[in-house]
Amino acid sequence: MKNKKEGSLLLGLVALLTVVVIVAVVGIIALRPEKMLIQGEAEAAEYRVSGKVPGRIEMYLYEEGEQVRKGDTLVVIYSPEVEAKKAQALAARNMAEAVNQKAKNGAQQEQITGAYELYQKALAGEEIYRKSFERVQRLYDKGVVSLQKRDETEAQYKAASATVRAAKSQYDMAVAGARKEDKAAAEAQVARVDGILKEIAAAEAERYLLSPCDGEVSELFPKVGELVGQGSPVMSIVDLTDVWFTFAVREDMLSEFAVGSVIETKIPALGDKVYPLTVTHIKAMGTYATWRTTKQNGGYDVRTFDVKCRPLTTIPELRPGMTALVMEK
């Protein structure tokens, strides 16, 4: 009877110890802090396609989701202002070229002939007044005519000589053509209009918007026929070969995300496969991302950092915006 009581007591003690151990293990497991799940998302380089020329969307050559190559024409913009400026510049170019050609060619042959005839006429008149002055001078020396008559004849002779010089100058100018300054000014006017034409040609080329990279059309902004201003985005291109992940990590966990270190992530949209990433950049986020503490237990405010990671291998089917998960070690 005594042995039976002792056996029951021992069995109860063992059961009690077992319950205590189970409770202790459960408590340890329950009180052990859970590993934190860090969530991020995939991002890719995105290019906004915009033009320098205002106008209306005439046509899209690619739709959303289509693949494009660098240099492909994506959008055609209709801009009547460019066409109007081109017509004005062409008219100004023709006018400037005509003025420049006139300056190079000089006076017409009829003008040269007319100037020569006037020059010869002035020479003939000068000869007549020279002879008259010489006769009057001889008569004056003999005392036949008065000093006034002699002075009047001399003045007429000098005036005729001045007329000869003026006619000779006009004839020389007609033969030589325009002055070199006038020729230079005409050539400069042609060059100025040519510069305007080049500017218009550049603006005309801007009517055709080209793809800045290989990628995929992710979004079209205005509709065909809508007006777009200078520099307004028209289309968005995503380069799926230039992708990375961003995670918001508290600073007390940054030791696991040192620059250059390798971490592993899961992408729920792509299944349970684990993908290796390398940490490339760490940047502090704004004060809005600071974890506040009451400081009653001697704690401190914890900042949050933006951690940028790039995949070590190509991840097929990865799309910008997909969620990525990293478990705390």
Side-chain angles (χ1 to χ4, degrees), residues 214-245:
D214 296 347
E216 181 181 297
V217 178
S218 62
E219 189 173 3
L220 306 179
F221 298 113
K223 295 180 175 61
V224 173
E226 289 187 345
L227 185 67
V228 292
Q230 182 178 9
S232 299
V234 175
M235 178 184 288
S236 180
I237 305 294
V238 175
D239 183 1
L240 296 178
T241 63
D242 185 9
V243 296
W244 64 89
F245 295 85

Side-chain angles (χ1 to χ4, degrees), residues 77-95:
I77 296 177
Y78 172 66
S79 179
E81 292 82 3
V82 173
E83 298 297 329
K85 289 180 180 179
K86 182 178 180 180
Q88 294 173 3
L90 288 174
R93 177 65 168 75
N94 293 334
M95 183 181 296

Side-chain angles (χ1 to χ4, degrees), residues 151-202:
D151 291 343
E152 290 176 353
T153 305
E154 182 181 20
Q156 291 173 349
Y157 172 53
K158 291 181 178 179
S161 297
T163 301
V164 169
R165 292 191 295 271
K168 179 65 166 57
S169 177
Q170 292 296 322
Y171 172 65
D172 291 341
M173 288 179 60
V175 172
R179 292 171 13 181
K180 64 178 183 179
E181 292 85 355
D182 295 334
K183 292 181 180 180
E187 292 176 354
Q189 181 67 11
V190 173
R192 187 183 74 84
V193 178
D194 285 343
I196 295 175
L197 283 172
K198 289 181 180 179
E199 183 179 354
I200 293 175

Side-chain angles (χ1 to χ4, degrees), residues 1-38:
M1 188 71 179
K2 181 177 180 181
N3 291 334
K4 187 177 181 179
K5 288 183 179 180
E6 289 178 354
S8 299
L9 182 61
L10 181 61
L11 182 62
L13 183 59
V14 170
L16 179 61
L17 289 175
T18 301
V19 171
V20 171
V21 170
I22 292 174
V23 171
V25 170
V26 171
I28 292 174
I29 294 175
L31 295 177
R32 185 174 61 183
E34 295 183 358
K35 291 184 178 181
M36 182 173 292
L37 190 66
I38 300 174

